[in-house]
Amino acid sequence: MAEKQATHGSSNRLTLYICIAIVLAIVLAVGWPHKAVQLKVGGEIFLSVLKMLVVPLVMASVMSGILGLGDVRKLGRPGLLTIVYYLSTTLMAVFVGLVLVSVLRPGDVQIDADTLATSMKAGAEKAEMAADKGVSSIFENLIRMFFTDNLFRAALEMDLLPLIVFSIVFAGLLTVMGERASALAEIITQVFDALIAFVLVVMRLAPLGIFCLVAARFGEANAQDQLGNVLKQTGWYSLTVVLGLAIHGLGTLPLIYWIVRRENPYRFLANMAQPLLTAFSTASSSATLPVTMEAAVVRGGVSKRASEFVLPLGATVNMDGTALYEAVAAIFIAQVVGVDMSLFELVVVALTATLAAIGAAGIPEAGLFTMIIVLKTVDLPVAYVGLLLPVDWLLDRFRTAVNVFGDTVGAAVVDDSFSRD
Ligand code: ASP
């Protein structure tokens, strides 16, 4: 008991240090942008250390989860519940986004011709880079994402889904082998525990790492005046996205948590502060994954079994924040262009935004690329994504935090189905 309190105490202190680090970093970036940019190396080192842990952690965690279940078939019910949770919450997020963007109509503002011309040029370049992501291939791409012809390349590219598939099958076979594989099974579980301890060590550096990351990125934006003119013109759009994310993150998800667990969801949110702040600072669900796992298991009261399986999968496929943003952005562009969407088109946007979010990787600004699929589906001019570029780096941070929170709530919500089995 005393030990647990001490752990909580030091963890609360760490959360406070991280908050202070973020505030100081923003002050530095606003006052002395050129100095702030020089901290980039520090941020990159912290990010590298986190990313270094992702692949071994994902593999060890999924395998250890299956080994804990003892039989891969037991994954059936919780697995199904997890997928239902992912899909339904993502659709709810999209719905919130669609309602807000239709009511607030951020795209009705006048955008000056100069801004529009430069934005379209930048947008056209982006769209070209994502040109092969046509609508027809959307399902094909989603299915392909689960497979690889080379496990090492998947690891190299931090392509987590094929690694998860491999880990499920491999650990499933270990459970079938029983006694013959017991030593290996034990090693895998110990590797996972050691990796979580590793994350705890890394987190001691988090205030410093996060300070550098935030200072450098905000400093860069300030130095390039990225927040100036265009933020004014797309300010309503940004506000709509942030408001939608707040409703989903502070309303919908806590409500689901409370309905299922009958516990205070905001206490859970506070316990998840470290992964949420890390998500905000890194803009990457995948890089945040080690912190998310550690927090869910150690402080969130989520069973190891649920976290081990739900969080790695969630980091790659469950992106409520991204889906909400994609839907808002698509309708915003339609409003700028002056196209009125029919109800049918809104439904198409909702579905493609959900699929596009599933397809987005857990890396910075991945959602911007997959959004091109949404725009193409409803025949909107893709070059208009250029309008969103100057603010995307900032909105990305908020949506990544919501993505990560959605994962942790998911682990907590399906937790029971794991233990009962
Ligand atoms: N950066 C987001 C994430 O890692 C993905 C995106 O929306 O761009 O979760």
Side-chain angles (χ1 to χ4, degrees):
M1 184 70 189
E3 195 186 319
K4 206 172 172 191
Q5 263 172 4
T7 316
H8 266 272
S10 66
S11 153
N12 288 344
R13 222 172 306 130
L14 184 63
T15 308
L16 180 70
Y17 293 157
I18 294 176
C19 290
I20 295 173
I22 292 179
V23 174
L24 289 181
I26 294 176
V27 171
L28 181 70
V30 171
W32 301 268
H34 295 286
K35 288 246 170 342
V37 172
Q38 287 169 359
L39 295 173
K40 200 169 178 176
V41 183
E44 277 171 1
I45 293 175
F46 177 64
L47 203 57
S48 304
V49 177
L50 279 182
K51 283 186 177 166
M52 170 184 85
L53 290 170
V54 172
V55 168
L57 194 65
V58 164
M59 296 189 77
S61 112
V62 174
M63 286 189 198
S64 155
I66 304 284
L67 292 169
L69 286 176
D71 182 346
V72 76
R73 279 170 301 185
K74 283 195 190 157
L75 201 57
R77 189 168 164 272
L80 191 70
L81 273 178
T82 307
I83 290 165
V84 169
Y85 167 86
Y86 287 164
L87 280 177
S88 52
T89 48
T90 306
L91 280 169
M92 284 178 213
V94 169
F95 180 74
V96 169
L98 285 180
V99 170
L100 274 184
V101 74
S102 308
V103 173
L104 298 178
R105 299 198 62 86
D108 282 353
V109 290
Q110 269 298 322
I111 300 201
D112 72 62
D114 272 357
T115 314
L116 197 60
T118 15
S119 304
M120 296 276 282
K121 199 163 158 266
E125 277 166 23
K126 277 266 174 212
E128 206 158 293
M129 283 159 76
D132 60 333
K133 294 200 171 99
V135 185
S136 56
S137 57
I138 188 164
F139 280 107
E140 198 184 310
N141 282 343
L142 281 180
I143 295 170
R144 268 183 209 275
M145 269 168 37
F146 286 85
F147 302 96
T148 180
D149 52 2
N150 188 326
L151 212 53
F152 294 98
R153 192 175 52 229
L156 196 77
E157 290 167 2
M158 254 174 61
D159 234 345
L160 300 184
L161 284 179
L163 299 179
I164 292 174
V165 171
F166 173 84
S167 305
I168 292 176
V169 177
F170 186 76
L173 291 171
L174 289 185
T175 60
V176 176
M177 285 166 71
E179 267 306 295
R180 272 186 303 150
S182 62
L184 188 53
E186 195 146 320
I187 288 174
I188 290 170
T189 316
Q190 287 167 359
V191 166
F192 176 69
D193 290 343
L195 285 169
I196 288 290
F198 200 144
V199 179
L200 274 167
V201 175
V202 172
M203 281 314 280
R204 290 179 184 218
L205 294 174
L208 196 61
I210 284 178
F211 175 73
C212 295
L213 268 177
V214 175
R217 190 59 189 94
F218 278 68
E220 197 181 313
N222 192 12
Q224 295 171 357
D225 201 20
Q226 258 178 343
L227 282 173
N229 224 353
V230 189
L231 184 57
K232 271 183 225 140
Q233 305 221 354
T234 50
W236 263 117
Y237 153 75
S238 305
L239 203 72
T240 311
V241 173
V242 173
L243 192 63
L245 293 174
I247 293 176
H248 190 70
L250 300 174
T252 316
L253 290 175
L255 185 67
I256 295 173
Y257 179 92
W258 181 79
I259 290 174
V260 176
R261 293 190 56 126
R262 298 282 157 180
E263 287 166 18
N264 184 348
Y266 298 104
R267 186 167 309 138
F268 180 71
L269 182 87
N271 285 335
M272 291 303 113
Q274 285 176 25
L276 298 186
L277 293 170
T278 310
F280 179 82
S281 311
T282 60
S284 165
S285 309
S286 298
T288 308
L289 186 58
V291 189
T292 318
M293 299 211 65
E294 187 263 327
V297 178
V298 178
R299 277 181 304 284
V302 181
S303 78
K304 221 170 130 193
R305 214 161 278 178
S307 308
E308 281 168 338
F309 176 70
V310 180
L311 294 176
L313 195 61
T316 26
V317 302
N318 182 41
M319 296 201 182
D320 299 358
T322 302
L324 185 148
Y325 138 86
E326 305 218 4
V328 172
I331 306 299
F332 167 74
I333 289 178
Q335 290 168 352
V336 171
V337 182
V339 174
D340 254 334
M341 291 269 180
S342 65
L343 187 64
F344 174 73
E345 279 170 323
L346 285 180
V347 173
V348 172
V349 168
L351 294 179
T352 41
T354 304
L355 293 179
I358 295 173
I363 56 171
E365 298 190 38
L368 197 65
F369 279 92
T370 59
M371 202 184 64
I372 296 185
I373 303 172
V374 184
L375 295 179
K376 279 187 176 169
T377 318
V378 280
D379 277 336
L380 285 169
V382 286
Y384 275 75
V385 290
L387 274 180
L388 318 174
L389 286 179
V391 282
D392 198 62
W393 68 275
L394 185 61
L395 294 181
D396 190 13
R397 286 153 200 273
F398 290 104
R399 65 180 188 251
T400 308
V402 172
N403 290 347
V404 168
F405 189 51
D407 298 340
T408 57
V409 171
V413 162
V414 302
D415 197 1
D416 241 12
S417 65
F418 276 90
S419 10
R420 219 177 296 140
D421 280 327

